[in-house]
Amino acid sequence: RVCAVWGGIYMLQRTAPAIQVEDGRVSAVIDAAGHAIKCRWLLLNADHRLKDLADKPLKTQRAIARCVCVLDAPVLGTMEEALVVASLVPEMRSNEATVFALQQDSNTAVCPSGKVLLHLSVSAAADANARALLEPVLLMLLERAPRLAAEDQRDGAEGDGAEVGDSATKVHTEPDAATPELDAAIDGVPTSRGPRILWGVFFSLPIRSHIAAHGSSLAPPNLLSCDDPPLNMSCDDAVPRAQLLFHQVCPGMPFLPPRQEEGEGSTEGDGDGSAD
């Protein structure tokens, strides 16, 4: 939307399978119909790879391990909270990374009515097993959910309680004994751990950086790469990343200056000449 406000042009329903290089620099993007779209700079996201680099192995050092599941009851907060964000901090003696949790209910249009969608994410090595990392955390949340619900009922008369999104939870689990009960929960079998998992999946997303991984010397100097972002609970990291790329393309130009609305600055001389 910011691009559109400042006059950017979107070419929809068109693919760009090739680029044209002249004198070592990208000069145009070639669309599927063979038309050349001239450009001075080209910015690619991590989904696109240069043909010259496609056959070279890409070594990804880091990944984001993910768990996504649909539950029949919340494990963070209550059913009255449409969105809950939490940082699950491991024990100080543990070398485990902080797990970020996002829980949404049907009011956010991500799951059926009366259910909740839970996301668990943690930064990991590229070859790490997502289930081994996040299964203990998921079971811990399932186990503590009934206890938290009982505590909320006792504390209800005293007030609304603390905001869950700002809380930090200590994680202490026993992963070796967790798998059978998680399998039972995924199969819909009631367990003593409270909420049931109606559907769930574990997977890993590699953090890709194609140009940087192969060396910038192999790519034209006016070809920039918008790499996959690291794990973050907010979009704050996106602004400095965008600013860095912007100043490479437009050095000395202001980044996201306020846009003057039509009619502003033209009141001089209007009316009786007085000003407040």
Side-chain angles (χ1 to χ4, degrees):
R1 187 179 186 280
V2 172
C3 178
V5 168
W6 285 95
I9 299 175
Y10 289 83
M11 296 184 179
L12 305 179
Q13 298 181 353
R14 297 175 69 175
T15 59
I19 63 174
Q20 179 176 298
V21 178
E22 296 179 359
D23 299 326
R25 296 178 64 88
V26 176
S27 60
V29 175
I30 311 299
D31 67 10
H35 301 137
I37 305 169
K38 297 293 183 179
C39 62
R40 287 181 292 179
W41 289 87
L42 179 61
L43 176 62
L44 297 178
N45 66 11
D47 291 328
H48 297 85
R49 296 188 63 185
L50 296 178
K51 182 178 179 180
D52 291 342
L53 304 180
D55 296 331
K56 297 179 173 62
L58 177 61
K59 296 181 179 179
T60 303
Q61 301 296 329
R62 302 295 298 174
I64 299 175
R66 299 285 312 278
C67 169
V68 181
C69 53
V70 178
L71 309 174
D72 64 354
V75 293
L76 298 169
T78 65
M79 288 298 288
E80 285 70 37
E81 297 172 275
L83 179 67
V84 180
V85 178
S87 300
L88 309 178
V89 182
E91 296 285 354
M92 293 298 294
R93 65 179 181 274
S94 172
N95 59 357
E96 299 174 352
T98 297
V99 176
F100 297 107
L102 171 64
Q103 180 182 275
Q104 301 168 268
D105 71 1
S106 58
N107 291 318
T108 60
V110 297
C111 60
S113 177
K115 307 299 186 291
V116 297
L117 182 68
L118 178 67
H119 294 262
L120 298 177
S121 305
V122 65
S123 180
D127 57 350
N129 184 292
R131 180 164 186 162
L133 290 173
L134 294 174
E135 179 181 83
V137 180
L138 177 59
L139 283 169
M140 181 274 299
L141 292 174
L142 293 170
E143 182 178 17
R144 66 193 290 272
R147 185 176 71 252
L148 290 181
E151 292 175 356
D152 288 341
Q153 290 178 353
R154 289 196 301 268
D155 297 339
E158 301 177 6
D160 294 333
E163 184 177 349
V164 178
D166 295 333
S167 65
T169 304
K170 295 292 184 180
V171 175
H172 178 67
T173 58
E174 298 178 359
D176 292 341
T179 301
E181 296 206 20
L182 180 63
D183 291 337
I186 291 177
D187 292 337
V189 178
T191 70
S192 61
R193 296 182 181 270
R196 291 186 304 167
I197 301 174
L198 306 179
W199 177 89
V201 63
F202 296 90
F203 60 97
S204 291
L205 296 174
I207 300 178
R208 301 165 299 175
S209 179
H210 294 309
I211 294 179
H214 296 297
S216 58
S217 61
L218 297 177
N222 62 336
L223 175 62
L224 304 179
S225 174
C226 186
D227 302 329
D228 288 334
L231 179 61
N232 201 311
M233 287 298 288
S234 71
C235 297
D236 294 341
D237 182 61
V239 176
R241 285 158 54 88
Q243 189 172 12
L244 178 64
L245 293 170
F246 176 84
H247 286 311
Q248 287 184 258
V249 177
C250 305
M253 297 291 291
F255 179 72
L256 288 181
R259 182 177 177 87
Q260 184 176 2
E261 299 293 339
E262 293 185 10
E264 288 186 4
S266 60
T267 58
E268 194 174 322
D270 294 345
D272 58 1
S274 61
D276 293 335

